Amino acid sequence: MKVLMTEYLRIDLDAENWECRVCDHVIGSARGNYKEGLLVYNRDPADIHPHVIDPEKYRFTFCPDKDWVNILEFYCPDCGTQVEVEYAMPGHEPLYDMEVDVDALKEQWSHREELTEASVGPNVKTERHQHNH
Amino acid sequence: MNNKVNAEAVLEDQELIAKFLKETTLFLGPDPEIMQSHDIMPITDHEVECLEKYTDSHQMASIRDRMQSACDESYEMLEQMGAAPGAKWGDVITGIYSASGDLTIGSAGGVLVFSVLVHHPIKFIIKNWINEPTVGVRQGDGFIHNDSRYGNIHNTDQSMIMPIFHEGKLVCWVASTVHEGENGAIEPGGMPSMAESPFDEGLKMSPFRVVENYEIKKDILTFLQNSVREPKLQYEDMKVKLYACMRLEKRINEILSTDGPGAITACLRSTNDNVMTEVRRRITEWPDMTVRTYGTMDGTLRENALIKVNCTLTKKGNRLIFDFTGSSPEISNRAINTALPGAKGMVSQVFLNHIWPDMPRGQACFAPIEFITPPCSVVNASVDAPNSQSLMAIFLSFAVAQQAVAKFLYSVPVKYTRVIAPWYNMISTFIWGGVSQHGEMLGNLCADLNGMGGGARMDMDGEHSLAPIFAAMADIGEQEMNEEDVPFLQLVSKKMTRNTQAPGKYRGGMGYTQIVATKDSDMWGFMTTCVGSKAPSIQGLFGGYACGTYPLCKVEDVDVYDVMLKEPEKFKHSIEETMNEQPYEDAKYTTHHMGLGFSISNRGELYMISQGSGGGYGDPLERDPFLVIKDIEENLITPDWARKLYHVAFDDETLIIDEKATDKLRADYREQRKRQGLPYAEFVKKHVKSEPPKDIPFYGSWNSDMSVVYAGSNDDKRDPQNPGPIYFAHPKDVENVKLEAELESVRKEAGIPPRDNRK
Ligand SMILES: [Zn+2]
């Protein structure tokens, strides 16, 4: 059985591995940090958050200060999907963000049906062109 | 002597000592026992009896519904009659509390943060005033409170608390709380960022009686009015809160006459117990896991500094534990610290608003969730630290909690809401004060802070300017109506700054730009209180980006009202055009961090801010190209940035998408990522440092080492459990030192002797 853990990651409970949901690539042991199986790129904030006002004239420009924050992009090494982004202090280690108790996960899902799509929760939007009279 | 006599003697001694200590207590300060707990009080014998006697669930449900509608009715009264801007848009709670002081049923709308932190002052009254011969608690009493070290979010919030009796016996409590704003602090509006100690924060009302026999005591009222900038508001809203309590009392009396006091007690207790059982059941459905995240404040509102809020969230079985160990120590003379209830309240908002919005508003929803915070930290400040801008610490707590929780929710089969990226978390608005065009002294804020952008969701974009993070629903007020009372105009509003949304498969919702200028007053000023001008204040989710950063922009030495009369075409409707084109000759254009201390503004000078975006969700390469084009059409993003961020091919003129070319661009970019990304181990080796960056004043733990916290420099490491004081110099003194050194070297170079050599 496989458990969908994030938009791009799932855990294969039998093999006890993290897998990429886009290309099925095996990223690493589910008992470890999935980031260790990914590629990391230190992105210049100005590539994502443009200087809306002229950086030659102004100190604060809508673009984060790259001496104060780094944008770490984590990619699947097989399909290049951007699995996670972490805004990190420069030089700070990336976080071991999801440390899963695999045995508990196995026990929990032994009582559940496998899901191939994540549930999204109740729909609160009303249909357009609906006749309410 | 036998043992029994001995034991009795010991007991007698203990009682004597306790009595002696009680009688000789010189000061009843904030009570840590009350303030550190957010749990429901232990069940009393009387509650057990009532639960045994009243077992009809229909009766309980009926009483609960009647109490809920009583809360919503009194909430409506506060909103309609309250004079404070906060009252008008729902920064309010009314509630019914158990005899032990637990908030059990609260009003459904407005600021949900209140649900878990308005009970502390009632517990203080129960513990200290009921049996105090000089105070006591009687029918018709009303107690006032605002000191955040005794409860509530911050000192702007004033509560009116009323005990409800039946035949001389206390049945329950009711209370109404409003964000009043003005409270006589060092800056107008009640949330001074300049406060350097609790004594700069204005009124410090521990719970005390201001109402007897349902009437406000005029002597005390006069004292309170003399202590604030808005004396009429103080009186008006005390009356409004009192009448809201009296309406609640009336409704409870109706229930007393139909069902009796025992049924009310049973209903309150069973509501709390049932909600806690359901919360534990829902937690059990989450995966057992530890999730780690942190956020940073990039300033103190006075100066830039990097202040960490660290969160480790662990779920095991039916336990959920928020651990904020590793967060920055409290800053002894900066206002950004929060008392512990504020941090808890804001995290409870994540649950009440974004995860389980179907749960009743009350303490029980959050009571089973555990909280670990280091003492004397920004998220659990001591009573000696100022906390009037606790919003900074609590909004960061919200952001990290929201991000952490999303990582638990994704796999859960039964969800109550969408998985969502962090909401934008700063109150980008103008706090204002001074003398109005009608000659009245005022101090408060623009309700526009409620237009925060929502985080992107797992299946759709974030909503623009939807709601503040601290309320499910809140109004932004009628600007035209406001302008009748305050001497400034919002020249630009409800317009979004381009290219500033958080990108992702689904992008964050955007907040709006506000450009204001003072008009009919010579004594009027503004302040702004946000972090996030150098480093974003939130994170994105699952491959989506965070928001960018948002500055304060000013144009001085201009009167735009003159410009509008003489050369109206010169006026620009965006920050981008105004700052880049500099249309007004001889004017001064400057940018600042968003911690503007209160400053007087001249007629026609522009103060310009932009609210931020909620976080993005998912890989931008997966964004539907049609949504990208829609954003271009709506002027949220420019075509060049759409291409750069989303790798979409389209015709510049017609905006028609070339799907094949788009697929190719995206496939190529995936290959580029694989080339530019480093294997994790290699990246860590190259990038990770054992200490924080040397030239940035950093506060908090570094990497995964929680055994020390840094306090501004790499030489200053502190014990996280006992960090000791941290004092910041006045930013002007810091600047002066620099200038003096510069002056000295210039004088030396020019051969000019110093002005005075003596020390
Ligand atoms: Zn992949």
Side-chain angles (χ1 to χ4, degrees):
Chain A
M1 182 183 299
K2 296 186 179 186
V3 181
L4 310 180
M5 295 301 287
T6 82
E7 182 74 15
Y8 302 114
L9 296 171
R10 65 174 175 244
I11 286 178
D12 180 332
L13 290 179
D14 306 311
E16 299 192 359
N17 280 327
W18 286 103
E19 293 177 354
C20 172
R21 290 178 61 195
V22 178
C23 71
D24 301 334
H25 173 71
V26 173
I27 291 167
S29 167
R31 295 184 189 271
N33 180 357
Y34 68 84
K35 286 179 181 170
E36 291 176 12
L38 301 178
L39 301 174
V40 197
Y41 181 61
N42 189 4
R43 165 74 66 189
D44 184 341
D47 290 345
I48 308 298
H49 308 287
H51 297 282
V52 174
I53 58 177
D54 187 354
E56 298 287 316
K57 291 194 186 107
Y58 303 114
R59 280 193 294 158
F60 298 93
T61 65
F62 290 87
C63 176
D65 183 336
K66 67 178 188 312
D67 295 333
W68 284 55
V69 65
N70 286 167
I71 302 178
L72 308 184
E73 298 177 346
F74 295 89
Y75 310 135
C76 170
D78 193 52
C79 67
T81 295
Q82 183 163 294
V83 171
E84 189 53 278
V85 170
E86 188 177 325
Y87 283 61
M89 286 176 284
H92 197 285
E93 68 184 17
L95 293 172
Y96 181 4
D97 66 332
M98 293 171 80
E99 185 177 350
V100 180
D101 182 337
V102 177
D103 299 318
L105 198 67
K106 280 182 173 176
E107 153 62 22
Q108 188 174 46
W109 281 85
S110 68
H111 311 287
R112 289 175 178 170
E113 295 278 315
E114 183 164 353
L115 292 177
T116 49
E117 284 299 321
S119 80
V120 291
N123 209 348
V124 289
K125 267 175 139 180
T126 51
E127 289 296 314
R128 293 217 175 156
H129 313 297
Q130 200 180 342
H131 295 281
N132 288 321
H133 48 81
Chain B
M1 275 205 301
N2 68 33
N3 283 341
K4 201 177 162 214
V5 174
N6 217 347
E8 272 171 12
V10 169
L11 203 65
E12 212 169 279
D13 280 355
Q14 279 174 349
E15 273 168 17
L16 272 173
I17 291 167
K19 188 166 176 282
F20 172 77
L21 285 175
K22 202 169 175 211
E23 280 168 2
T24 50
T25 296
L26 294 179
F27 172 53
L28 280 174
D31 188 329
E33 190 185 58
I34 294 171
M35 297 307 295
Q36 297 283 318
S37 171
H38 61 285
D39 205 356
I40 298 296
M41 294 298 277
I43 194 162
T44 62
D45 293 344
H46 179 60
E47 284 173 329
V48 172
E49 272 169 41
C50 293
L51 284 177
E52 279 166 6
K53 193 166 165 200
Y54 297 92
T55 54
D56 177 0
S57 61
H58 294 292
Q59 184 189 15
M60 294 298 105
S62 148
I63 295 173
R64 192 160 52 238
D65 287 352
R66 288 166 78 183
M67 291 203 273
Q68 184 65 56
S69 53
C71 289
D72 294 338
E73 178 191 17
S74 50
Y75 173 92
E76 194 75 12
M77 286 171 71
L78 289 184
E79 261 204 330
Q80 297 295 329
M81 304 195 305
K88 291 201 168 76
W89 56 258
D91 203 340
V92 154
I93 191 171
T94 58
I96 299 170
Y97 302 68
S98 70
S100 308
D102 293 323
L103 175 64
T104 307
I105 295 167
S107 45
V111 173
L112 310 180
V113 187
F114 284 129
S115 307
V116 305
L117 47 68
V118 280
H119 60 100
H120 302 101
I122 300 188
K123 287 172 181 164
F124 181 91
I125 295 169
I126 293 169
K127 187 169 176 179
N128 296 294
W129 295 160
I130 285 186
N131 294 320
E132 167 58 46
T134 63
V135 187
V137 171
R138 298 176 292 264
Q139 187 168 340
D141 280 353
F143 290 81
I144 197 169
H145 158 257
N146 89 313
D147 186 343
S148 60
R149 300 170 306 169
Y150 290 79
N152 292 4
I153 304 170
H154 42 190
N155 303 308
T156 49
D157 306 328
Q158 294 190 24
S159 291
M160 183 68 78
I161 296 161
M162 183 175 267
I164 307 295
F165 287 88
H166 177 72
E167 293 174 357
K169 199 165 174 286
L170 182 73
V171 180
C172 60
W173 299 78
V174 298
S176 56
T177 305
V178 174
H179 176 114
E180 296 293 356
E182 178 45 37
N183 59 14
I186 188 171
E187 291 171 295
M191 304 191 291
S193 47
M194 302 298 274
E196 295 208 358
S197 90
F199 303 103
D200 294 332
E201 294 176 338
L203 272 180
K204 282 269 175 277
M205 298 190 284
S206 52
F208 61 87
R209 178 166 45 232
V210 284
V211 170
E212 259 172 7
N213 275 325
Y214 305 102
E215 285 197 281
I216 294 171
K217 291 164 64 148
K218 205 125 203 197
D219 53 347
I220 296 180
L221 171 68
T222 304
F223 159 69
L224 294 178
Q225 288 177 299
N226 273 301
S227 308
V228 298
R229 291 178 183 82
E230 297 204 30
K232 286 189 218 161
L233 174 90
Q234 184 63 33
Y235 180 36
E236 197 172 342
D237 277 7
M238 276 171 71
K239 275 206 294 196
V240 170
K241 290 195 289 281
L242 172 61
Y243 281 104
C245 286
M246 287 163 66
R247 180 63 60 89
L248 282 164
E249 185 188 47
K250 181 169 186 260
R251 297 299 178 220
I252 290 168
N253 283 337
E254 288 164 8
I255 304 171
L256 282 169
S257 67
T258 54
D259 296 78
I264 289 180
T265 300
C267 174
L268 291 173
R269 187 74 216 186
S270 63
T271 298
N272 282 334
D273 291 349
N274 293 343
V275 170
M276 288 201 291
T277 304
E278 174 62 7
V279 165
R280 288 208 176 88
R281 187 193 68 76
R282 291 185 184 191
I283 290 171
T284 308
E285 295 297 307
W286 296 15
D288 281 17
M289 181 161 66
T290 294
V291 166
R292 298 181 182 83
T293 181
Y294 66 83
T296 52
M297 291 180 241
D298 64 3
T300 66
L301 300 177
R302 303 280 299 281
E303 56 273 286
N304 283 117
L306 210 45
I307 298 165
K308 190 182 198 182
V309 174
N310 199 51
C311 177
T312 307
L313 180 57
T314 300
K315 181 265 169 182
K316 200 167 177 51
N318 66 2
R319 294 178 66 197
L320 186 63
I321 306 152
F322 281 93
D323 185 348
F324 284 86
T325 302
S327 299
S328 166
E330 72 186 25
I331 312 294
S332 309
N333 64 342
R334 290 296 180 265
I336 53 160
N337 314 291
T338 184
L340 179 57
K344 289 176 177 172
M346 208 60 226
V347 173
S348 82
Q349 174 82 20
V350 176
F351 291 85
L352 285 164
N353 200 4
H354 293 288
I355 303 174
W356 304 321
D358 56 326
M359 287 297 232
R361 280 70 166 101
Q363 244 176 283
C365 179
F366 197 64
I369 295 169
E370 298 165 57
F371 232 76
I372 300 168
T373 47
C376 303
S377 63
V378 278
V379 291
N380 182 6
S382 68
V383 295
D384 302 319
N387 67 21
S388 45
Q389 268 299 334
S390 61
L391 294 180
M392 299 305 111
I394 73 176
F395 290 169
L396 260 296
S397 307
F398 178 94
V400 293
Q402 192 170 33
Q403 195 209 12
V405 160
K407 293 184 177 178
F408 284 91
L409 288 176
Y410 192 89
S411 69
V412 179
V414 178
K415 297 185 176 70
Y416 301 87
T417 54
R418 297 293 188 276
V419 171
I420 188 170
W423 213 260
Y424 182 65
N425 65 343
M426 285 291 135
I427 50 164
S428 299
T429 193
F430 289 103
I431 300 172
W432 40 252
V435 178
S436 79
Q437 64 269 44
H438 311 299
E440 286 201 59
M441 179 76 105
L442 299 176
N444 231 302
L445 50 73
C446 296
D448 294 272
L449 62 97
N450 293 337
M452 290 179 192
R457 290 153 289 184
M458 64 196 297
D459 60 347
M460 54 186 131
D461 288 341
E463 297 279 354
H464 299 309
S465 300
L466 184 64
I469 48 169
F470 42 79
M473 291 164 281
D475 197 0
I476 53 170
E478 292 295 333
Q479 186 51 31
E480 288 74 16
M481 301 250 295
N482 295 343
E483 284 167 2
E484 289 184 11
D485 297 328
V486 292
F488 68 93
L489 300 182
Q490 279 193 359
L491 297 171
V492 175
S493 184
K494 325 295 186 285
K495 185 177 155 78
M496 283 151 195
T497 305
R498 290 190 309 183
N499 296 332
T500 53
Q501 297 81 44
K505 175 181 180 180
Y506 298 105
R507 54 138 183 80
M510 189 60 201
Y512 57 84
T513 300
Q514 295 159 66
I515 301 182
V516 301
T518 296
K519 203 162 162 277
D520 303 309
S521 170
D522 294 331
M523 212 199 121
W524 191 257
F526 300 105
M527 61 186 274
T528 57
T529 58
C530 303
V531 298
S533 307
K534 277 175 97 67
S537 54
I538 60 167
Q539 298 267 356
L541 189 64
F542 301 153
Y545 293 95
C547 64
T549 48
Y550 303 91
L552 164 73
C553 301
K554 278 206 267 189
V555 187
E556 290 161 293
D557 301 336
V558 66
D559 181 345
V560 293
Y561 296 113
D562 263 6
V563 173
M564 283 174 172
L565 274 177
K566 292 176 195 148
E567 303 162 284
E569 67 284 356
K570 272 194 177 171
F571 184 79
K572 302 295 172 197
H573 287 83
S574 71
I575 298 177
E576 191 180 348
E577 294 164 290
T578 307
M579 296 302 279
N580 288 337
E581 296 174 21
Q582 302 196 341
Y584 319 114
E585 299 89 32
D586 305 325
K588 195 172 128 199
Y589 300 79
T590 53
T591 62
H592 310 263
H593 64 67
M594 282 286 291
L596 169 72
F598 181 74
S599 61
I600 294 290
S601 76
N602 296 317
R603 179 189 149 99
E605 291 181 340
L606 297 176
Y607 284 70
M608 307 189 284
I609 59 175
S610 170
Q611 295 170 342
S613 164
Y617 181 103
D619 184 349
L621 283 191
E622 292 196 352
R623 182 162 181 76
D624 183 339
F626 287 98
L627 291 177
V628 177
I629 299 301
K630 188 165 164 270
D631 285 350
I632 297 175
E633 287 173 336
E634 291 178 356
N635 206 20
L636 286 169
I637 192 169
T638 51
D640 55 333
W641 277 92
R643 284 198 179 88
K644 190 167 175 178
L645 290 171
Y646 295 110
H647 302 270
V648 177
F650 55 88
D651 183 277
D652 260 339
E653 292 281 301
T654 62
L655 298 182
I656 289 172
I657 298 159
D658 183 337
E659 283 182 34
K660 239 184 175 163
T662 299
D663 288 347
K664 168 110 182 30
L665 283 176
R666 290 182 166 185
D668 289 350
Y669 191 64
R670 283 174 184 271
E671 290 307 312
Q672 189 185 320
R673 280 177 175 168
K674 283 153 67 176
R675 288 192 300 274
Q676 73 197 15
L678 288 177
Y680 185 86
E682 207 177 306
F683 177 85
V684 166
K685 208 171 153 194
K686 193 175 153 202
H687 176 88
V688 173
K689 306 277 184 291
S690 59
E691 287 194 319
K694 266 205 295 289
D695 39 3
I696 293 174
F698 170 74
Y699 298 81
S701 61
W702 188 253
N703 292 339
S704 41
D705 179 7
M706 303 288 164
S707 67
V708 293
V709 281
Y710 288 84
S713 91
N714 292 354
D715 303 325
D716 191 352
K717 293 179 205 171
R718 310 275 181 102
D719 172 3
Q721 294 303 312
N722 185 21
I726 297 172
Y727 283 95
F728 277 57
H730 195 296
K732 282 193 175 138
D733 290 343
V734 175
E735 196 57 31
N736 272 351
V737 170
K738 271 194 230 157
L739 289 176
E740 275 171 24
E742 222 171 280
L743 193 59
E744 199 180 295
S745 81
V746 171
R747 278 176 183 276
K748 216 178 218 169
E749 221 170 277
I752 306 168
R755 269 188 302 199
D756 191 346
N757 245 338
R758 294 170 298 177
K759 295 290 173 199

